Amino acid sequence: MKMTRRGFLQVSTAGLAAAAVPGVLRAAERSRVAIVGGGYGGATAARYLRLLAPEIEVVLVEPDPAFVSCPMSNLVIGGFRAMADITVAYDGLERAGVRVVHDRAIAIDGDRRQVRLARGDAIAYDRVIVSPGIDFMWEGLPSLKTAEQRAGVLHAWKAGAQTAELRKRLESMRDGGVFVIAIPEAPYRCPPGPYERACQAAAYFKAAKPRSKVVILDANEDVTSKGALFKKAWSELYAGMIDYRPNSRVIDVDPRDGTLKLDFGDERGDVVNLLPPMRAGDVAKPFITANGRWCEVDWLTFESRAVKGAHVLGDSLQVAPLMPKSATMANGHGKVCAAAVAALLRGEAPNPAPTLLNTCYSMVSDKAAIHVASVHKYDLGERTFKAVPGAGGLSQASSEAEGTYAVNWARNIWADMLG
Ligand SMILES: Cc1cc2nc3c(=O)[nH]c(=O)nc-3n(C[C@H](O)[C@H](O)[C@H](O)COP(=O)(O)OP(=O)(O)OC[C@H]3O[C@@H](n4cnc5c(N)ncnc54)[C@H](O)[C@@H]3O)c2cc1C
């Protein structure tokens, strides 16, 4: 079977052996970068590679037909936005010259430099960029071993069907019911996200079911982000509605009725939202080098410490000091990595001094928001990103002006990553 490495190819399973033969693959055509995951990290890397290096062929593998955003998904759960408002098509990327393959990557073979797809094909690459987000550590919850046992327990921590389902359950909950949200120990995706979700549920209850309550079971000893601002919002906007319980770790769940088992006693809710402990997305397994959970990289290029030619972005990473697992960060990773990969494929040196920014808004009601911001500069001596002292900061108070900035932040970042 004759095939070129750089023409667009989906190598059949029969072709995998041939794909390993040197010479057969080395046609003098364009370099190809395969990207796994069309979320904040992967879509940004895809678009910026095309902008920075039009000579490179970019193939993006993403199973979902359209991008659905986690940021702003809590507004859907509160009933203040629809799923359509957080869904963006991939055609902007296609117009930018990215080939979008709607399939799931089941393995990345670093020796053969191939991404294997669920439908049986494979994509050969010169470099691969992997940004699959997070998956859950179900093994820590002994009664939730099978998909069937997990069916009744919602995380809604990947935007999509579970977001819509959680909204539906809140809508059908009786007035006077209890919504329980359980937060795992940090690190997890989006530190302020669970507290924002509690605000959104409370905003809905205040308007539609005023006798209802929100219980926050937090495995951490205190609110992990924007703590004083969230606590102020809870007492001023939702007095008596939100019961915050620190040091409350869920150790198991009864799949029959969703009862949460804690170190001390059980907790029941009319609607239960469990965020299990998290780790790098399944397909990033070959790149996991930290605590069996996260992927370490060379921060100048985002190249994996475990597999040459493979770069990892976004929530799957073992973060640098004070670097959050956020969409803004993943978007920044995508840009720095795209520039580095373009340089490497041209035989040039990557930028030796990249800078990343983070801004993360949280909606504390249907209209008002708060933010946290930081700047992270590459430190040549320590070979990691370090937060710049005095840069960034926190809102002084929540405001509707910040609510408008939050909505515009979302629109801008979707345009930036998806075209
Ligand atoms: C409720 C909530 C609110 C949030 N709010 C904010 C916010 O306001 N601001 C902020 O900055 N961040 C926020 N975040 C965090 C943000 O969503 C993540 O940090 C960001 O999505 C990380 O980007 P990523 O590329 O790592 O993963 P994702 O954006 O999740 O993208 C991963 C993509 O990979 C695909 N994928 C997974 N496995 C495979 C595979 N095997 N093959 C092919 N494709 C695959 C998935 O389908 C997905 O499209 C929020 C998160 C949540 C859950």
Side-chain angles (χ1 to χ4, degrees), residues 262-393:
L262 309 182
D263 286 316
F264 306 101
D266 292 353
E267 188 67 38
R268 294 209 52 190
D270 297 273
V271 177
V272 174
N273 182 194
L274 172 74
L275 313 184
M278 299 169 204
R279 56 167 171 72
D282 284 341
V283 75
K285 246 178 206 153
F287 317 113
I288 293 179
T289 49
N291 309 321
R293 287 174 80 178
W294 309 111
C295 310
E296 291 170 293
V297 291
D298 170 344
W299 287 110
L300 273 189
T301 58
F302 289 80
E303 187 163 14
S304 159
R305 291 225 186 135
V307 182
K308 288 282 154 229
H311 303 250
V312 187
L313 312 177
D315 288 352
S316 285
L317 291 177
Q318 166 73 2
V319 289
L322 301 177
M323 180 186 280
K325 291 187 185 295
S326 76
T328 318
M329 254 313 150
N331 174 258
H333 297 165
K335 290 173 188 172
V336 173
C337 179
V341 165
L344 291 169
L345 287 173
R346 287 170 177 163
E348 296 165 4
N351 173 10
T355 301
L356 294 166
L357 310 175
N358 187 61
T359 309
C360 177
Y361 292 97
S362 300
M363 298 295 298
V364 295
S365 70
D366 59 331
K367 292 195 181 65
I370 53 182
H371 82 271
V372 62
S374 52
V375 179
H376 304 254
K377 249 183 118 43
Y378 184 75
D379 183 296
L380 205 57
E382 297 194 30
R383 301 175 68 185
T384 187
F385 281 97
K386 292 179 80 178
V388 178

Side-chain angles (χ1 to χ4, degrees), residues 9 15 20 59 71 73 93 95 122 137 143 161 193 195 207 216 218 246 261 282 285 287 363 395 397 399 403 418-419:
L9 81 155
V59 184
S73 68
L93 277 186
R95 279 195 301 276
M137 299 167 72
S143 302
Y195 313 107
I216 306 173
D218 195 340
K261 299 190 181 307
D282 284 341
K285 246 178 206 153
F287 317 113
M363 298 295 298
S395 310
S399 70
L418 294 161

Side-chain angles (χ1 to χ4, degrees), residues 37 39-41 62-63 70-71 105 131-133 157 189-190 314-315 326-328 361:
Y40 280 94
E62 165 59 50
C70 284
S131 193
W157 219 239
R189 155 177 280 184
C190 192
D315 288 352
S326 76
T328 318
Y361 292 97

Side-chain angles (χ1 to χ4, degrees), residues 35-43 61-64 66-74 77 90 101 103-107 115 117 130-135 155-159 189-194 196-197 226 278 281-284 313-317 324-331 333 358-363 409 413 417:
I35 299 183
V36 175
Y40 280 94
V61 181
E62 165 59 50
D64 293 342
F67 168 76
V68 186
S69 175
C70 284
M72 299 291 142
S73 68
N74 283 333
I77 288 164
Y90 280 110
V101 175
D103 203 343
R104 176 169 293 280
I106 51 167
V115 176
L117 304 180
V130 186
S131 193
I134 48 102
D135 271 299
H155 53 75
W157 219 239
K158 296 183 182 194
R189 155 177 280 184
C190 192
E196 178 190 61
R197 182 168 289 177
K226 308 173 196 165
M278 299 169 204
D282 284 341
V283 75
L313 312 177
D315 288 352
S316 285
L317 291 177
K325 291 187 185 295
S326 76
T328 318
M329 254 313 150
N331 174 258
H333 297 165
N358 187 61
T359 309
C360 177
Y361 292 97
S362 300
M363 298 295 298
W409 167 87
I413 199 167
M417 61 194 270

